[in-house]
Amino acid sequence: MESSIHLNELGAFLKARRAELSPRTVGLPETGAPRRVPGLRRDEVARLAGLSSPYYTRLEQGRVGPSAAVLTTLVRVLHLDDEQRDWLFELAGEAGVRVCRRPAQKVQPRVQRFLDGILFTPALVLGRHMDILAWNSLAAAVVTDFSRIPAKKRNFIRLLFVEPAMRVLYPDWERVAHACVTQLWMEGVKCPGDAQLAELVGELSVADAHFRRWWGARHATALDVGTKTLRHPLVGDITLDWDSFVCAGDAEQQLVVWTAEPGSASHDSLRFLSAWTAQPAAPASDAP
């Protein structure tokens, strides 16, 4: 009985916050037609959060307890401030909702030394949710300078959707991005209470219609190896085979390597980029 009371309070709190928002606030188009309810409709909140409309309706009615992942997404969608966020999680805790927080991942120094020793092969380490944990200089030359991206935003799938240059780098961007969304969804199934994953999904659901549609489709496809073509701004098209290996120190870290057929134009391009990245920067007085 006590849990039901707090679930009802949780639902009422969500309903009140929904009523305070306008479509313009959350980036939805305003048609000018009269709205039957103040603020956002339930189906609009559900769509922005990547949830089904019936599920969100049950949530506001106090008939179901949300996971920590759903709570974190709703914090972003409903534009809750810190105090409101803390109250939301407090209500959820009183209702018996499990909040799951996983420790941050770190790459062992020996793995970074290994990456730095690979001169002609782009390689990087991806953590859970495709966080970019480590890379070598050739991977940065092929994809982007990862060091310029704040650590908390250094995520491969996030780059695919928010960095315009990535859509140019991948001529078949939709296929690549769709496959990554599928992998991310499969990761979410393993730990549905992951607050960090919910935050990422919430951000990308608001930012991109493709992501919302693919995430909602809930496809499951295993990807272990493959071939991709990149349209590099310096050397043109590069065709690379990729493979991944589980790191012994952390089963949720994967070493991803990209190789080219020896003697191919793509192989020559990698060697050129490797030499290019090894060159010291020109002194300021000599720079064009």
Side-chain angles (χ1 to χ4, degrees), residues 5-275:
I5 293 174
H6 287 294
L7 282 178
N8 287 334
E9 292 180 355
L10 180 66
F13 180 76
L14 292 174
K15 182 178 180 180
R17 302 288 76 75
R18 170 170 64 87
E20 295 172 346
L21 296 175
S22 69
R24 179 181 299 176
T25 303
V26 297
L28 293 176
E30 292 191 87
T31 62
R35 301 174 70 86
R36 295 191 302 172
V37 297
L40 299 179
R41 298 191 300 268
R42 283 174 175 167
D43 66 293
E44 291 173 330
V45 175
R47 186 167 69 251
L48 290 170
L51 306 172
S52 71
S53 185
Y55 172 82
Y56 183 75
T57 297
R58 294 196 302 272
L59 192 60
E60 280 200 1
Q61 292 173 343
R63 296 163 52 197
V64 63
S67 67
V70 169
L71 290 173
T72 305
T73 299
L74 291 174
V75 167
R76 175 181 293 277
V77 170
L78 296 175
H79 292 215
L80 302 187
D81 59 30
D82 291 346
E83 184 176 344
Q84 292 171 331
R85 178 201 61 205
D86 292 343
W87 178 239
L88 179 67
F89 274 87
E90 184 174 339
L91 286 175
E94 293 290 345
V97 178
R98 177 175 171 267
V99 178
C100 174
R101 297 190 181 277
R102 303 164 81 181
Q105 292 181 290
K106 294 183 179 180
V107 169
Q108 294 293 330
R110 60 180 176 272
V111 176
Q112 185 63 65
R113 290 196 298 269
F114 173 74
L115 291 174
D116 293 337
I118 306 176
L119 300 181
F120 303 118
T121 299
L124 49 82
V125 175
L126 298 180
R128 65 176 80 102
H129 321 323
M130 300 187 197
D131 291 330
I132 302 167
L133 304 179
W135 59 91
N136 63 4
S137 59
L138 190 51
V142 169
V143 182
T144 190
D145 181 7
F146 301 114
S147 64
R148 67 177 175 83
I149 304 167
K152 290 185 177 181
K153 299 292 187 180
R154 201 177 289 149
N155 176 279
F156 189 80
I157 193 168
R158 184 182 180 277
L159 292 179
L160 279 176
F161 282 93
V162 304
E163 290 282 348
M166 297 293 279
R167 302 186 187 228
V168 178
L169 182 67
Y170 287 96
D172 56 346
W173 177 88
E174 285 201 17
R175 183 183 67 83
V176 173
H178 190 186
C180 286
V181 172
T182 297
Q183 292 296 104
L184 190 67
W185 180 79
M186 292 174 65
E187 170 69 23
V189 172
K190 299 176 185 176
C191 187
D194 192 316
Q196 182 184 0
L197 174 60
E199 183 176 357
L200 176 63
V201 171
E203 176 188 0
L204 298 182
S205 294
V206 172
D208 193 277
H210 287 93
F211 184 92
R212 288 196 301 273
R213 183 171 71 253
W214 294 334
W215 183 263
R218 285 158 168 75
H219 291 149
T221 305
L223 291 176
D224 297 317
V225 297
T227 301
K228 63 180 63 180
T229 298
L230 306 179
R231 185 151 295 159
H232 195 274
L234 188 62
V235 296
D237 287 358
I238 314 175
T239 299
L240 302 174
D241 298 321
W242 66 270
D243 208 332
S244 61
F245 308 88
V246 176
C247 295
D250 182 348
E252 293 186 313
Q253 293 185 25
Q254 287 192 324
L255 170 66
V256 180
V257 295
W258 295 329
T259 60
E261 185 71 25
S264 66
S266 297
H267 185 260
D268 294 340
S269 295
L270 288 182
R271 298 184 72 87
F272 171 80
L273 288 174
S274 178

